[in-house]
Amino acid sequence: MDILIVEDEPKVASFLKKGLELQGFNTEVAYDGNIALRMATSVDAHYDAIIMDVNLPVINGFDVCEKLRRNNIKTPILMLTALGTTSDKVHGFDIGADDYLVKPFEFEELLARVKSIIKRSKAQPLLESVLRIADLEMDTNSKVVKRAGKTIDLTAKEFFLLEYLLRNKGRVLSRVDIAEKIWDITFDTGTNVIDLYIFYLRKKIDKDFTKKLIHTQVGMGYILKEN
């Protein structure tokens, strides 16, 4: 497994490099965002995951992540940063980050999260590409979502959350389910990230329509259904 570490603090970069290599990973280090972009988009790039700080010289980590996703680079990205507010996490997920770990951290947790995002990225089964419920339709290949023929713009995480709801329509999904499947993390009862994303989705796919599709099961979670 090959990991790209994007970290401008030499001590932190060295710590990550040593720890990951002791676990059998091959690692390379980029000390600023511009170098990271060049390495990750190179025709010879072969990374299984990217660990990336946010506060980087030249180009910050959020911008690097966004540029990679715009270039259709699908390598899983773990954002590693001191910015731990809910809005920071939401922004990171919106631009395509797969997970988010706040400094200071335990190496064992970082290792578990890296393994998890790699495992998830390599376990993509062949699934139905067009999903529907009522007048809502999602094409997972073209990444287009429409309701009643009207195209709806979604962020990356909103899209994946809606896809998960569609693939499990009629089933109550707990916050734990959603946290593990969409964010690949253990649910933290102190965060409202999942509720925020449900709120965002409702504004986009339910607010302007009489028939509501996303419903709350009090004390249990959320369900996508026609009535």
Side-chain angles (χ1 to χ4, degrees), residues 12 43 71 83 127 129 146 182 219:
V12 177
V43 293
N71 281 289
L83 303 173
L127 299 172
S129 60
K146 293 183 179 181
I182 306 303

Side-chain angles (χ1 to χ4, degrees), residues 140-168:
T140 59
N141 289 330
S142 64
K143 306 301 181 187
V144 172
V145 175
K146 293 183 179 181
R147 181 151 191 199
K150 176 185 176 183
T151 300
I152 298 172
D153 293 324
L154 300 177
T155 66
K157 273 304 183 210
E158 289 169 355
F159 184 92
F160 293 134
L161 175 55
L162 180 58
E163 180 182 355
Y164 185 52
L165 291 170
L166 278 162
R167 292 196 185 281
N168 292 275

Side-chain angles (χ1 to χ4, degrees), residues 1-174:
M1 295 287 183
D2 299 304
I3 307 291
L4 175 60
I5 300 167
V6 188
E7 172 61 66
D8 66 316
E9 296 182 33
K11 287 185 179 179
V12 177
S14 177
F15 166 73
L16 292 174
K17 181 177 178 66
K18 181 178 179 180
L20 289 167
E21 290 182 349
L22 285 173
Q23 294 295 321
F25 291 94
N26 300 314
T27 66
E28 293 181 339
V29 179
Y31 292 99
D32 68 52
N34 192 46
I35 294 173
L37 265 179
R38 292 206 309 269
M39 293 174 71
T41 57
S42 165
V43 293
D44 298 322
H46 50 269
Y47 303 112
D48 295 286
I50 299 172
I51 300 172
M52 182 153 50
D53 192 14
V54 169
N55 294 317
L56 296 169
V58 189
I59 306 174
N60 71 53
F62 284 146
D63 289 343
V64 173
C65 180
E66 189 169 21
K67 289 176 186 293
L68 290 176
R69 295 308 187 227
R70 286 180 178 175
N71 281 289
N72 204 33
I73 303 298
K74 298 179 180 179
T75 308
I77 297 173
L78 171 64
M79 303 299 292
L80 192 63
T81 177
L83 303 173
T85 68
T86 296
S87 61
D88 291 321
K89 292 178 181 179
V90 167
H91 180 57
F93 290 133
D94 277 349
I95 59 175
D98 295 86
D99 203 349
Y100 203 109
L101 186 59
V102 179
K103 296 178 180 179
F105 58 89
E106 296 291 336
F107 180 77
E108 289 77 9
E109 181 177 4
L110 177 137
L111 181 63
R113 293 191 182 212
V114 168
K115 289 180 177 179
S116 183
I117 62 175
I118 292 175
K119 180 180 178 181
R120 185 173 65 176
S121 72
K122 293 184 180 300
Q124 298 295 332
L126 293 175
L127 299 172
E128 185 181 359
S129 60
V130 178
L131 307 173
R132 297 182 181 89
I133 185 172
D135 55 354
L136 176 68
E137 179 178 300
M138 168 186 282
D139 188 322
T140 59
N141 289 330
S142 64
K143 306 301 181 187
V144 172
V145 175
K146 293 183 179 181
R147 181 151 191 199
K150 176 185 176 183
T151 300
I152 298 172
D153 293 324
L154 300 177
T155 66
K157 273 304 183 210
E158 289 169 355
F159 184 92
F160 293 134
L161 175 55
L162 180 58
E163 180 182 355
Y164 185 52
L165 291 170
L166 278 162
R167 292 196 185 281
N168 292 275
K169 59 188 177 184
R171 174 189 166 201
V172 177
L173 301 173
S174 70

